Amino acid sequence: MRFTAEQRSFADAVRTFCARECGTPEQRAALTAGGTWADSPDLLRRFAELGWLGISLPSEHGGQGGTFVDECLFLEESARGLAPTTGYGTGLTAAQTYLHWGTEAQKDTIVGSICAGEFEAIALSEPGAGSDLASARMPATLDGDHLVLDGQKTWTTAAHLARHVLVLVRTDSSGSKHDGLTLVMVPADAPGLTIRPIDTMYAHTVNDLYFTSVRVPLDAVVGTVGGAWRQLTRGLGVERLIIAASSLGAAQRSFDDLLSHVTQREQFGRTVGSFQAVRHRIADLAAEIALCRAFLYDAADRLDHGDDADLSRDSSVAKIRCTEAAKQTALEAVQLMGGYGYAREYGMEAQVRKALAPPIYGGTNEIQREIISRSLGL
């Protein structure tokens, strides 16, 4: 698609900001406690001050009232700039469900929080229910005008920084596994909720959540009791586009760094990039990134125009291609940069570690292939 002059200017502004504020390893280390955090609350608030957060969220609830294409531009360029604000996308995902099913008060609270530079979280997975979300079992028991939550959620992004957690619970076990699921808005500081970090190969971003008699009022239910499965469907489709946009930015950054290296590094009296074996591999990466960008922004543009009939399938395609492009580009960059790609000093090894997660979260890419195949009647 063709971007407007305003959209191109916006993308340039995000790129310039990231280069200035988090463009060096030293700046990123200062923002992330030496690389131990995946997210910087300080940087997210600075994005908020510029009016760049919630750009696609409706203005009547405190958002910027822009398009989802605008949102993808921000996600792509902030990821390309290595901005440590991964958890922002999780808040956007949660917002989709609140906006379509929540009360007016819930919408105002969540959109206002996101646009102010706060994190919001969504807790779906359990130790026994990851890709098979409909098998979630964590119970919420009715006690007067409250629900009482007991159990565990896992792999919850940014919960340690969030103001609220959108929690998937089971309120009825008498029907099919897709019935009886309910979404509840829980304050992250609710009594009885314990949040513990999960140590990963990248940085602290995901958590285990333990609920011990956590009480929430019935007006904390998002949508209808027992209706969560239908309510989640559209939000998860948009989540896949959010992940795809960030992964596209990550792929482009790895490509940029690789291209810079091979056009400067010399061996045998010539630049490494001048060897056919190298430049053809780089050409393949460039072609894949270009195709990913075209497909992603076409899907985002159709969503903006209300054409979401194929959102489930198209968002799965976008997630597969963009996340795998990010992983492949980073891995190829390590190989083509040689020892420099493997060394921590040059940053590519960190981009590899970060690129390994998106093909897994937000629904594994194997599950995305199942969604696509079912859409074809297979």
Side-chain angles (χ1 to χ4, degrees), residues 76 79-82 246-264 273 278-293 322 324-334 336-337 346-348 351-352 355:
E76 179 187 353
R80 183 181 184 181
L82 301 180
S246 294
S247 293
L248 176 61
Q252 187 64 60
R253 176 54 183 254
S254 294
F255 183 86
D256 292 344
D257 290 350
L258 170 60
L259 190 62
S260 175
H261 179 84
V262 300
T263 54
Q264 296 179 56
V278 173
R279 66 175 186 259
H280 282 192
R281 288 165 75 174
I282 292 175
D284 285 342
L285 295 175
E288 181 64 19
I289 291 170
L291 290 171
C292 285
R293 180 171 288 110
C322 292
E324 293 183 0
K327 181 171 72 172
Q328 183 62 25
T329 303
L331 287 169
E332 282 279 59
V334 167
L336 295 177
M337 290 171 67
Y346 294 89
M348 192 56 69
Q351 287 162 232
V352 169

Side-chain angles (χ1 to χ4, degrees), residues 22-37:
C22 56
T24 69
E26 293 76 18
Q27 286 174 310
R28 293 191 293 275
L31 288 166
T32 60
T36 58
W37 303 341

Side-chain angles (χ1 to χ4, degrees), residues 18 60 77 111 135 140 205 211 213 237-238 240-241 311 328 342:
C18 290
E60 60 265 31
E77 290 299 338
V111 173
S135 292
T205 184
F211 296 79
S213 299
V238 176
R240 295 194 283 270
L241 294 181
L311 174 62
Q328 183 62 25
Y342 191 67

